[in-house]
Amino acid sequence: MKKMAALAYEKGAHFMQFTGDMINGYLSSKEAQHLEYFNWKKSIEPFWHYMPFYIGMGNHEVLGIVFRDENGKRGAFIDGFPYETQSAEVVFAEAFVNPENGPESEDNNKYDPDLEQADFPSYKENVFYYTHGNVAMVVLNSNYWFAPSISKQTATSGGLHGYIMDNQLEWLRQTIRQLENDRDIDHIFVTQHTPAFPNGGHSKDDMWYHGDNSKRPYVAGKPVDKGIIERRDEYLDILANESQKVVGILTGDEHNYNWLKLTPEVPIYPDGYPHEKLRFSRPIYQINNGAAGAPYYGQEVLPWSAFTQSFSVENALCLFYVSGEQITMKVYNPDTLNLIDEVELR
Ligand SMILES: [Fe+2]
């Protein structure tokens, strides 16, 4: 991280966006979680006095309650509660300073079991947006209310890795609409931890789950209406078809670097997919960089692999050079300083 920050600073970056997996996490102790965050912050401290770092949540920021059987084997793992003091979300908000202009929580969504009390953790400082010059960055949380066990057993409720829940999706729709009408903004980037299209290491989850749309969050013991692939499509529909300004999505999670240009030609469905299919009225990019230092993940073969570009397992720092209408991305290895890739995005 120190090399990532040092190179970004040396190249004159105005700000840095880092979306999840700062720490190993998966803890049950709030104090231990803060210790890990402290160490991450310490690694970049010489630089963040001089340029802002905006931080998002990933799966490794999970903090919660682990149920074990009599042999100590891990069973259910759910977000910590009371949410105001013990959730992954509140500890994240304590550790970092981010804008507070996001949605409130998933309370009062149509599955909320009790409209009088708070039944979900806060989105405060883990979903938000900011602008710099003619660029807007929308930061989402695809690991909200995260229950790591929910994808395999649904005896508890909880959020699913990769799933943008209803209130957050609606906030995204409103925020994109507002930015579309903002004459000072030319380019919008959207960032969340999980790729819509995994390429190496996470085909079993992210927004794909081997093409299994049955995966979804559970609220008050019941599955929500939309599966992970339906929700992925609703999400991409907003970015591509309800916007002209969204350049693409910036993702992580997988320990590699690559990019995809999403067009109608790219196959994005499992065989025999029965639901409505998305059509891109204009292309958007997915740029994935989870190569800040974690052990690398090699490439997998997936329906869209023929369109996956520049796949690399080198450590990588993505720098976006914005000049009026134009955007160029340059990707450097922060360890060896060589140029990995250069792409004209606009
Ligand atoms: Fe991750």
Side-chain angles (χ1 to χ4, degrees), residues 155-208:
T156 68
S157 295
L160 180 75
H161 179 68
Y163 197 98
I164 308 288
M165 292 182 72
D166 290 15
N167 289 359
Q168 185 179 174
L169 192 78
E170 190 49 36
W171 175 84
L172 171 70
R173 190 188 306 279
Q174 299 302 333
T175 302
I176 295 295
R177 194 171 294 162
Q178 177 193 327
L179 293 168
E180 286 292 309
N181 292 325
D182 186 337
R183 291 173 57 190
D184 293 334
I185 299 300
D186 296 320
H187 313 293
I188 305 170
F189 288 96
V190 178
T191 182
Q192 89 270 348
H193 185 63
T194 55
F197 304 100
N199 281 285
H202 277 279
S203 64
K204 65 181 187 301
D205 51 33
D206 287 343
M207 297 185 175
W208 180 240

Side-chain angles (χ1 to χ4, degrees), residues 68 154 198 231 289:
R68 294 179 190 277
T154 54
R231 180 48 47 102
N289 183 17

Side-chain angles (χ1 to χ4, degrees), residues 94-151:
E94 287 171 7
F96 298 103
V97 177
N98 283 318
E100 297 189 351
N101 54 12
E104 290 292 320
S105 77
E106 285 298 322
D107 265 295
N108 303 322
N109 72 21
K110 69 185 200 189
Y111 312 100
D112 187 352
D114 185 341
L115 298 177
E116 301 299 314
Q117 69 174 30
D119 302 291
F120 294 89
S122 176
Y123 278 126
K124 192 165 274 190
E125 296 187 73
N126 63 78
V127 175
F128 55 92
Y129 77 95
Y130 57 91
T131 63
H132 187 95
N134 63 346
V135 174
M137 180 76 72
V138 181
V139 181
L140 301 178
N141 183 357
S142 59
N143 284 98
Y144 174 76
W145 195 42
F146 179 38
S149 55
I150 202 78
S151 66

